[in-house]
Amino acid sequence: MKKIKDFSPLEEATLIVRLSDVQIKKTTTNVDYASLTAFDGEDLIEAKIWNFTDEIREKLKSGEVYVAYGKMKDYQGKMQFNITDIRLINDDDNVDLSAFYEYAKLPINELQDNIEAYVLKIENKILKEMVVTILKKHYTNFYCYPAAVNMHHNYYSGLAYHTYSMLRLSDGYIQLYPFINKSLVYAGVILHDLGKLVELSGPKGTEYTKEGKLLGHISIAAMEINEVAKELGYQETEEVVNLLHVVLAHHGELEYGSPKEPSTPEALLIHFLDYTDSKMAALEKEVGKVNKGEYTNPILAFDRRAFYVPKLD
């Protein structure tokens, strides 16, 4: 079957695509339509369903793979897919569904081994017990959940890969600046985004949950850490207070959702690591779609700024 790249504007198109980022909106005449993203295993395209019937509404679920029928359109210089009907993929289509989902660069078993190796490097007894207890409680989800809906690491095992990337980045800083507490950094990195296991619905058709929208992953993680600290009898220890501060401060500034700004070296470092890895991961994804000497598409994580890729060896 043809791919997105094989079609030109005004052509009728039938595509096998994963539909995601589904948003139900209203036209100027107050009629419902669907705005979504279609992924054909290679490329993404913005899609619309203008004739949003009850039948289509019932069939449409974010994250599922469909045969989609419609027409290509040139909208403000970019291709858009106007979908007229959809049907779910079935066994008769003989389609490898794994091709329509994104995965971390490392398989789950490698991420488990690598992250657990860092857990063993945590020398502080209380911090190590906190991390081990919480990881055991959320083990399966921790290694398969994404780290976000759209911005960065938004794929299977994205949360674990983001965590492992931050751990690797932290080693250079720890070696260069020995005043930083290694145990607190490793524990803080591993648990900083724990709340996303509740904030997000899962790796397939990822959406924000009600708890995610109302509480946010930072508050959710802090509550979970506090609860486990109570169970273990560590609630008011120096370790737990500092671990909570790392989690509450990892977005860096109040305007970016941090209840607190970093006030310890470890909290500041984890903010830097989180910011760097999330931004570079978003950039890497877009750079990989263009040739050297070209600009990327506008990138959401950079306020829709485009980046030039130098034409250098």
Side-chain angles (χ1 to χ4, degrees), residues 16 162 233 276 293:
I16 296 177
H162 173 48
T276 299

Side-chain angles (χ1 to χ4, degrees), residues 258-269:
S258 266
K260 294 295 292 181
E261 293 183 340
S263 296
T264 66
E266 294 77 13
L268 182 64
L269 174 58

Side-chain angles (χ1 to χ4, degrees), residues 1-20:
M1 185 170 282
K2 287 184 175 181
K3 298 285 190 178
I4 291 168
K5 63 186 178 185
D6 299 320
F7 291 96
S8 301
L10 303 182
E11 283 191 298
E12 301 286 337
T14 299
L15 290 166
I16 296 177
V17 287
R18 172 171 56 88
L19 300 178
S20 60

